[in-house]
Amino acid sequence: MIHEILPVGLLQCNCSVLGDETSREAMVIDPGDDIPAIQAILERNGLTVKYIVITHAHIDHIAGAQRLKRLTGAPIFYNQNDLPLVKMMDVQASWLRVPTPEVAPPDAPLTDNQTLAISGLSGTVLHTPGHTQGSVCLYLPEHSLLLAGDTLFAGSVGRTDLPGGDTNQLIRSIHDRLLPLPDEVTVVPGHGPNTTIGEERQSNPFL
Ligand SMILES: [Zn+2]
């Protein structure tokens, strides 16, 4: 598997490019900004984007999605429960004092336990509400990899003080859906360094 992680934009959201070496198909997760740099990764690896996956509709994760869609033709997937956040993109832009990015409803909704597959690579969508109502993680069991969005961080958890946030729900999502995963699963959070499920189960002070 090809996996490149690129921190993008003002808030350095971790954008992941996941690709298959044989089919050269790819999915891009959370293209929040810096679309030319993401495109350079795709070109360097000879990858064709099949899906654009958004872990949740905060501006730092979704802002570049329409630009990447226009360049690649790939559809954008996210959970419907984040549509209220998409409708208030102008408010989100004002939080960061940036122009309002172009956004749209998902081309297809992401639902719990849905399989997202490209040729040679497959993942399962885990709906983990709490940071936002539509937050999802993408789990690739064959690669012991979890793309966690802003649900779980190394030594921390997602903030819940923004619209749609719910602390109890977030902790429940992590306990019910993420901590049961094997210890060795690498967690790529939406911001900051990677960690593992085992490390967080043992030492995350919020859990
Ligand atoms: Zn967020």
Side-chain angles (χ1 to χ4, degrees):
M1 180 178 63
I2 297 163
H3 183 196
E4 295 209 17
I5 303 168
L6 176 73
V8 296
L10 267 180
L11 300 180
Q12 295 285 280
C13 160
N14 285 326
C15 170
S16 275
V17 175
L18 292 177
D20 179 68
E21 292 104 332
T22 308
S23 68
R24 295 285 150 183
E25 292 184 357
M27 30 186 156
V28 177
I29 294 89
D30 287 350
D33 202 351
D34 298 335
I35 299 306
I38 295 169
Q39 238 201 330
I41 291 175
L42 295 168
E43 278 170 20
R44 175 157 43 77
N45 290 286
L47 294 171
T48 302
V49 183
K50 292 288 168 182
Y51 312 124
I52 299 165
V53 180
I54 308 298
T55 60
H56 65 290
H58 278 152
I59 187 169
D60 51 323
H61 295 255
I62 199 175
Q66 289 289 332
R67 268 177 289 156
L68 188 62
K69 178 183 173 179
R70 222 173 291 119
L71 289 167
T72 61
I76 298 171
F77 296 168
Y78 60 88
N79 184 274
Q80 301 265 42
N81 294 356
D82 271 358
L83 274 172
L85 287 171
V86 169
K87 295 204 176 92
M88 55 179 283
M89 199 50 62
D90 53 338
V91 177
Q92 293 200 50
S94 72
W95 296 338
L96 297 183
R97 297 189 177 83
V98 296
T100 305
E102 183 193 344
V103 284
D107 295 304
L110 286 181
T111 56
D112 194 28
N113 292 320
Q114 177 183 346
T115 300
L116 269 188
I118 54 175
S119 179
L121 197 63
S122 136
T124 302
V125 173
L126 307 178
H127 182 216
T128 52
H131 175 63
T132 68
Q133 288 307 300
S135 283
V136 301
C137 300
L138 183 63
Y139 178 45
L140 292 92
E142 284 160 40
H143 299 279
S144 278
L145 178 67
L146 180 80
L147 304 182
D150 286 359
T151 296
L152 179 64
F153 296 111
S156 187
V157 297
R159 63 189 287 188
T160 51
D161 57 328
L162 296 171
D166 181 325
T167 306
N168 291 335
Q169 192 185 30
L170 175 79
I171 299 299
R172 210 178 323 125
S173 286
I174 295 171
H175 273 286
D176 292 353
R177 306 305 301 280
L178 304 188
L179 294 190
L181 300 177
D183 278 357
E184 65 273 15
V185 170
T186 298
V187 179
V188 179
H191 303 267
N194 291 358
T195 179
T196 64
I197 290 292
E199 177 73 28
E200 297 314 308
R201 192 191 298 109
Q202 204 170 24
S203 65
N204 189 312
F206 295 89
L207 301 177

